[in-house]
Amino acid sequence: MDAWRQVAAGRGRARGRAAAVPSSGNGVPLGGAGGGRVKGSGNAVPSVPSPGGAATLAASGRRQRSTGGEAPQTPGASELTSQRKFEEIKKANEAAARKLVEENCSSSSSEEEGDEDLEGKQGKIVANTFISYTTHTDGDIHELERTKQYLNEAFQAGAMTCLICIASVKRNQAVWSCSGCFCIFHMPCIQKWAKDSQFLVSSVTDEDFGKKDYPWPCPKCRFEYKRSETPSRYYCYCGKVEDPPLDPWLVPHSCGQVCEREFKPPCGHKCLLLCHPGPCPPCPKMITTTCYCKKAKPIPRRCSAKQWSCQLPCGRKLLCGQHRCENPCHAGTCQPCPRVSRQKCVCGKKEAERSCASPVWHCDQVCGKTLPCGNHTCEQVCHVGACGACPRSGKRSCPCQKSKFSLPCTEDVPTCGDSCDKVLECGIHRCSQRCHRGPCETCRQEVEKQCRCGKHTKRMPCHKPYLCETKCIKMRDCQKHQCRRKCCPGNCLPCDQNCGRTLGCRNHKCPSVCHRGSCYPCPETVEVRCNCGNAKVTVPCGRERTTRPPKCKELCSRPPTCHHTSQEKHRCHFGSCPPCHQPCQKVLEKCGHSCPASCHDQALVKQTGRHQPIGPWEQPAEPAFIQTALPCPPCQVPIPVECLGKHEVSPLPCYAVGPYSCKRLCGRMLSCQNHTCMKECHQVTQVDGCTGKNKAGPECLQCEEGCSKPRPLGCPHPCVMPCHPGKCPPCVQMLRLKCHCKITSLYVECRKITTADINEKNLLSCCKNQCPKELPCGHRCKEVCHPGECPFNCNQKVKLRCPCKRIKRELPCNKIRENQVSVECDATCKEMKRKASEIKEAEANAALEEEKRRQQAELEAFENRLKGRRKKNKKRDEVAVELSVWQKYKSYLLPVFGVMVAVLVWYIAYGVD
């Protein structure tokens, strides 16, 4: 049975903790868990007498053996006896198991109290250590939190963890502390880490393996150390004692002497604490110092907080030279002047509002001043001082830089006619053209080119690069992936893939680029909390599985699992809370009485419906119990109850109280005031607070006869109600009517249309919408749905303009149709017309002038081209051979001879006659 196993397990655990401790009958040690005294406590735990669980089991076994020799009993009597014995054994086992659970809970609570006392003492010791840092002026407790954390971790067993092997750092193990992050590592772990780091770096980057002094990094903060700084011996924290002895009265791995390390940043003083882990606290020395602005009197302050502000205005003159600093007393240089003033640029052409802190500024305008040559202007943008000489003056070189010319600044340097001989972009060949302006052309000579990796050659133009398609098969620096770059020259790029290996914490993966060797430890930290979350301890990632949750001093804040509003006070814990032993006191739903039994919301009940053994050869399954809430027992209080129809009163038990019928006729008067209810005694709901026994309720029968009373004058509908007292209700049936505009169908109650006069009927026949009829002017009628003709009084606003369309007015439609108003142009309109005509005439004149200027410019350009052509012909004549007289004047003599011949012929022809 489960109880036997629990007892045996409890006895075994007691022997494991204290073999010589006497135990009670149920297997629980008399001195509590741990054997007599609780760790960290000086008081003995009182022993608890055994409830007699094991003795009862032994006695019941002897009784069974003693009855074996007696005369045989009948089958019915033997079954009863076996059942009774089984019940006794079951109750004894349950009592023993319950007592065992209570004893374990009490022992665990005493252990928690002892641990809390020990932690409290440690906290007081650490607080007294740093009391001198916070009792004087300007003591800041927040600056000491980091040092306190390292001290607390050093005192707690298993709190310090080596990030390389993810294991606890024990008191008797050699350790090494980083000077950058003060993280503690095992000596063999850090030595192996440094050796592997140097090996990987030197094997990848150095051909002469092991000859250069490569640094190695800290696994946590990456602070680099030289090869000579590789730890080889075990020192204390302050570095004074080698192999510090293990002393239970000192901080682990400490020598117990004064630290005497220099503070960071250095101030001239040394640490006054005993040899300790972690960084040194801020300097506690008291010095006399003044504020930043040197205006206040010197006061004594901590050396770590010697810089302070008096909060008075600084008053130092700013860089602008006009204003003073208005900020409170501060460190360092003053901020730039925040004021704004109007300032001129460097050249003085523009003036703008700018910050007083930047008085020198440049505008975006070109200088434009005439240079000393008198032909060109300065092209610099807003500058200081003289413009300088003309950049085209003096000796200037031709484009190929071989010849120099002294020419006026107005003339360009001509080409020298020699070959260019400039080195082309390829860096091998030179330009073969004549001296020319502009860049040289691309090199087009064909050469035998070798690819970048040196495996292939090809003849191709010099300016084109040659890359082959061969992929590099060399391994990258990670020694896991190939380069796979086309035409690689041999210097393969570093691997750009992510490492992705699972770190030692087994929770995260390495985020670094793919690399060789071991990955850096996981930089994450995890908080291990108690059940309520108030107490927590920060451990490296991966240690949260093996770290014991911290002890919490807060009370358990869980809500009670039963119906009670509160439970017994106990400390924060894991697991379920102890069972409730308070009286139930539940208010029964039916009668409202309180339950006198003990709390039964978490009772152990045997689980039913489990697998039954098939035959005697199959071992029977052990009974299983589940925790469930049992219902309260029925109430037995006698309660007088009246029948449903209130004819008689009879006493009934409280749990059986309920409505019942006495089988009589109801006999109550119905609502029609003419008949009585003929139903059997039934429940009647009181209406309107009436307590009379003759008043019918809603459960009584209803009169099903129709109403025969006369209807109001003019109503054609009958009364729809059954037989009822008093007058008939008004007729509420709806009549369908058409509105005045004959569009909408209206539904009106019969009582309204029959009782209305002529005006009310017209109002009921109105649909409340705008009349859809159209007036003679073309607009819609503005009246609401009405009878008869629409009135002709259209007030719709219509826009009316003057002939030039400038003046616009809105007038009623009826006045416009009657020609009562009109809009004429005024003097402004006429003036605008005149100005428009003048503008058009001016534009035409301007266009004519522009055309004349354009034609004049074309004529001048043509004459200039013609002059240049004449000069070229003149030069050509000077070079040619001298012509004869006939060749010079034949163009003039030929026409003269022609005229003379014609005159002679005419004279001969007509003179002879």
Side-chain angles (χ1 to χ4, degrees):
M1 299 178 67
D2 291 342
W4 275 104
R5 293 182 179 179
Q6 293 177 3
V7 171
R11 186 181 296 111
R13 286 193 296 270
R15 284 199 301 267
R17 289 192 297 268
V21 178
S23 62
S24 60
N26 58 356
V28 180
L30 297 177
R37 292 183 180 271
V38 181
K39 181 182 178 182
S41 175
N43 300 326
V45 179
S47 61
V48 181
S50 169
T56 305
L57 292 175
S60 62
R62 286 194 298 270
R63 284 196 299 269
Q64 291 178 3
R65 288 193 299 270
S66 63
T67 56
E70 296 179 357
Q73 299 179 355
T74 61
S78 61
E79 290 180 0
L80 293 176
T81 303
S82 300
Q83 185 68 22
R84 184 174 63 255
K85 291 179 180 179
F86 177 76
E87 293 295 336
E88 292 177 357
I89 295 173
K90 178 181 177 181
K91 291 181 180 179
N93 291 339
E94 290 180 354
R98 193 180 301 108
K99 191 65 178 177
L100 177 62
V101 172
E102 292 177 358
E103 289 295 333
N104 288 337
C105 294
S106 62
S107 62
S108 62
S109 62
S110 62
E111 287 180 358
E112 291 178 359
E113 292 177 359
D115 292 342
E116 291 171 1
D117 294 341
L118 182 59
E119 291 177 1
K121 292 179 180 179
Q122 292 178 357
K124 291 180 180 179
I125 293 173
V126 175
N128 292 332
T129 303
F130 295 100
I131 192 67
S132 60
Y133 286 84
T134 57
T135 52
H136 297 285
T137 308
D138 304 319
D140 190 2
I141 191 65
H142 299 288
E143 297 290 338
L144 309 176
E145 292 299 329
R146 193 177 177 190
T147 307
K148 285 185 178 181
Q149 180 182 357
Y150 278 94
L151 286 177
N152 290 328
E153 291 179 356
F155 282 122
Q156 295 177 4
M160 290 192 299
T161 305
C162 176
L163 295 180
I164 299 177
C165 62
I166 313 297
S168 299
V169 177
K170 298 182 180 180
R171 290 172 173 262
N172 56 352
Q173 293 177 337
V175 297
W176 175 81
S177 177
C178 176
S179 60
C181 61
F182 303 98
C183 188
I184 297 177
F185 305 92
H186 291 127
M187 183 63 71
C189 294
I190 195 64
Q191 289 175 347
K192 184 177 183 300
W193 175 272
K195 182 178 179 182
D196 292 347
S197 300
Q198 294 172 356
F199 173 79
L200 291 176
V201 175
S202 59
S203 62
V204 174
T205 60
D206 192 6
E207 295 180 357
D208 299 332
F209 173 72
K211 294 184 178 180
K212 290 188 178 181
D213 187 9
Y214 288 101
W216 56 273
C218 169
K220 183 178 181 181
C221 65
R222 308 315 195 252
F223 184 80
E224 292 188 350
Y225 294 90
K226 298 179 181 179
R227 179 189 292 269
S228 59
E229 296 176 348
T230 303
S232 58
R233 297 183 180 182
Y234 169 40
Y235 286 93
C236 62
Y237 296 114
C238 63
K240 296 179 180 178
V241 179
E242 181 181 354
D243 294 329
L246 178 61
D247 191 344
W249 298 100
L250 296 177
V251 179
H253 317 290
S254 173
C255 63
Q257 302 179 20
V258 179
C259 179
E260 292 186 351
R261 286 184 289 183
E262 293 186 357
F263 291 108
K264 294 181 181 180
C267 62
H269 305 121
K270 295 183 179 181
C271 181
L272 302 178
L273 291 179
L274 299 183
C275 181
H276 61 89
C280 296
C283 181
K285 291 286 185 178
M286 300 296 295
I287 61 175
T288 302
T289 179
T290 184
C291 63
Y292 295 113
C293 63
K294 312 298 181 182
K295 294 181 180 180
K297 294 182 179 180
I299 60 174
R301 291 179 62 88
R302 293 275 186 186
C303 181
S304 59
K306 58 185 176 182
Q307 296 182 352
W308 60 285
S309 173
C310 64
Q311 300 301 323
L312 295 176
C314 176
R316 285 183 285 187
K317 184 171 289 188
L318 300 176
L319 296 178
C320 64
Q322 299 179 1
H323 309 102
R324 293 184 178 274
C325 180
E326 298 178 356
N327 295 329
C329 177
H330 59 87
T333 58
C334 299
Q335 297 181 357
C337 184
R339 300 191 180 184
V340 177
S341 60
R342 295 192 64 84
Q343 302 172 5
K344 289 186 178 181
C345 64
V346 173
C347 64
K349 293 183 179 180
K350 286 189 176 182
E351 184 177 353
E353 288 188 356
R354 294 179 55 84
S355 174
C356 189
S358 57
V360 179
W361 64 285
H362 299 266
C363 65
D364 55 354
Q365 292 188 0
V366 180
C367 177
K369 294 180 181 179
T370 304
L371 296 177
C373 65
N375 299 320
H376 302 92
T377 57
C378 180
E379 297 179 356
Q380 300 182 28
V381 178
C382 188
H383 62 89
V384 184
C387 297
C390 179
R392 296 170 62 91
S393 61
K395 287 188 177 182
R396 288 179 288 169
S397 300
C398 64
C400 67
Q401 305 297 324
K402 293 182 179 180
S403 301
K404 293 186 178 181
F405 300 88
S406 297
L407 298 174
C409 63
T410 56
E411 296 182 9
D412 295 333
V413 178
T415 58
C416 64
D418 197 357
S419 58
C420 180
D421 281 343
K422 289 183 180 179
V423 179
L424 298 178
E425 293 181 357
C426 64
I428 301 174
H429 307 99
R430 294 180 177 273
C431 180
S432 59
Q433 294 181 351
R434 295 289 183 181
C435 178
H436 61 88
R437 293 183 175 87
C440 299
E441 63 179 8
T442 307
C443 182
R444 303 185 182 277
Q445 296 189 28
E446 287 193 357
V447 294
E448 189 78 16
K449 277 202 167 186
Q450 190 176 22
C451 66
R452 187 169 57 183
C453 64
K455 295 182 180 179
H456 304 276
T457 58
K458 185 178 181 182
R459 189 168 186 82
M460 58 189 305
C462 182
H463 69 278
K464 291 184 178 180
Y466 176 40
L467 299 177
C468 66
E469 297 295 327
T470 304
K471 293 184 179 180
C472 181
I473 60 174
K474 292 183 179 180
M475 301 299 290
R476 295 193 177 185
D477 56 352
C478 64
Q479 298 299 321
K480 295 180 182 178
H481 305 100
Q482 289 183 346
C483 178
R484 306 301 296 171
R485 187 173 59 159
K486 290 183 180 180
C487 195
C488 179
N491 52 344
C492 301
L493 299 177
C495 186
D496 55 353
Q497 300 185 24
N498 290 333
C499 177
R501 287 185 291 182
T502 304
L503 299 177
C505 63
R506 303 299 177 185
N507 296 328
H508 304 95
K509 292 186 177 181
C510 180
S512 303
V513 180
C514 187
H515 58 87
R516 299 177 62 187
S518 303
C519 299
Y520 280 96
C522 182
E524 303 292 335
T525 57
V526 181
E527 291 183 353
V528 179
R529 296 177 178 268
C530 65
N531 189 31
C532 66
N534 290 330
K536 64 180 180 179
V537 58
T538 303
V539 297
C541 182
R543 290 283 296 174
E544 68 275 7
R545 304 182 186 89
T546 58
T547 302
R548 182 180 179 183
K551 298 294 183 180
C552 182
K553 299 180 181 180
E554 301 292 333
L555 296 177
C556 179
S557 59
R558 294 182 184 178
T561 55
C562 60
H563 65 278
H564 293 103
T565 58
S566 61
Q567 56 180 348
E568 297 179 356
K569 295 182 178 180
H570 57 281
R571 299 286 185 183
C572 174
H573 61 90
F574 288 93
S576 58
C577 295
C580 179
H581 300 288
Q582 304 180 35
C584 179
Q585 296 297 325
K586 278 186 179 180
V587 178
L588 301 178
E589 298 179 357
K590 296 182 179 180
C591 60
H593 300 115
S594 299
C595 179
S598 59
C599 183
H600 44 78
D601 289 347
Q602 297 178 347
L604 292 176
V605 180
K606 184 177 180 180
Q607 187 177 4
T608 58
R610 301 189 69 193
H611 174 70
Q612 299 295 332
I614 300 175
W617 60 85
E618 185 175 355
Q619 294 294 333
E622 297 180 357
F625 295 88
I626 57 176
Q627 201 172 35
T628 183
L630 298 179
C632 295
C635 184
Q636 300 293 336
V637 178
I639 303 296
V641 182
E642 191 175 16
C643 69
L644 295 175
K646 299 184 179 180
H647 302 121
E648 62 181 20
V649 177
S650 299
L652 296 176
C654 183
Y655 75 94
V657 168
Y660 74 99
S661 175
C662 63
K663 307 300 181 181
R664 299 179 185 178
L665 294 178
C666 179
R668 294 175 180 268
M669 183 64 66
L670 299 179
S671 58
C672 65
Q673 302 296 328
N674 297 323
H675 307 90
T676 58
C677 181
M678 300 303 293
K679 290 176 66 175
E680 192 179 277
C681 177
H682 61 87
Q683 184 178 3
V684 179
T685 305
Q686 296 181 1
V687 181
D688 298 335
C690 182
T691 58
K693 295 183 178 182
N694 295 327
K695 181 68 174 178
E699 295 83 1
C700 294
L701 293 175
Q702 300 292 332
C703 185
E704 298 180 356
E705 297 184 5
C707 179
S708 58
K709 295 182 180 180
R711 301 296 297 159
L713 183 62
C715 179
H717 309 106
C719 182
V720 295
M721 292 185 62
C723 181
H724 61 87
K727 297 180 180 181
C728 296
C731 183
V732 295
Q733 296 193 26
M734 308 299 291
L735 293 177
R736 183 178 179 181
L737 301 175
K738 282 286 185 179
C739 66
H740 298 295
C741 53
K742 306 302 180 181
I743 295 178
T744 306
S745 296
L746 304 177
Y747 292 89
V748 186
E749 292 184 359
C750 178
R751 59 179 180 178
K752 293 183 180 180
I753 201 67
T754 55
T755 58
D757 54 6
I758 297 176
N759 295 332
E760 291 179 353
K761 286 183 178 180
N762 291 335
L763 184 60
L764 292 174
S765 299
C766 180
C767 63
K768 309 298 183 183
N769 295 326
Q770 185 179 354
C771 180
K773 297 177 184 179
E774 189 174 305
L775 297 177
C777 62
H779 298 123
R780 186 178 175 182
C781 180
K782 297 295 183 180
E783 299 294 333
V784 182
C785 178
H786 61 86
E789 297 294 334
C790 297
F792 184 66
N793 55 350
C794 181
N795 293 325
Q796 180 73 23
K797 296 293 185 179
V798 179
K799 295 180 180 179
L800 189 62
R801 295 178 179 269
C802 67
C804 67
K805 307 298 183 180
R806 188 185 71 84
I807 302 176
K808 178 179 67 174
R809 292 183 183 177
E810 291 186 355
L811 300 172
C813 177
N814 53 4
K815 292 185 179 182
I816 295 175
R817 288 179 61 84
E818 294 173 1
N819 296 325
Q820 295 180 4
V821 294
S822 62
V823 180
E824 300 294 340
C825 291
D826 55 0
T828 305
C829 295
K830 296 178 181 180
E831 182 66 21
M832 291 178 63
K833 289 180 180 180
R834 185 183 62 79
K835 290 182 178 180
S837 62
E838 291 178 356
I839 291 173
K840 289 183 179 179
E841 185 178 356
E843 291 178 352
N845 295 335
L848 184 59
E849 292 294 333
E850 181 65 23
E851 182 66 20
K852 288 181 179 181
R853 285 195 298 271
R854 186 180 63 81
Q855 293 178 358
Q856 183 66 24
E858 291 179 355
L859 180 59
E860 292 177 358
F862 177 76
E863 291 179 353
N864 292 335
R865 289 198 297 271
L866 187 60
K867 290 179 180 180
R869 190 177 304 160
R870 289 176 179 174
K871 289 181 180 181
K872 292 182 180 178
N873 294 334
K874 184 177 179 180
K875 293 180 180 180
R876 191 182 304 114
D877 293 342
E878 291 176 357
V879 177
V881 181
E882 184 179 359
L883 300 177
S884 62
V885 177
W886 169 250
Q887 290 177 349
K888 290 181 180 180
Y889 302 104
K890 67 178 180 178
S891 58
Y892 302 101
L893 295 176
L894 286 176
V896 174
F897 289 157
V899 173
M900 293 174 64
V901 170
V903 172
L904 181 61
V905 172
W906 180 83
Y907 180 78
I908 294 172
Y910 294 97
V912 174
D913 295 339

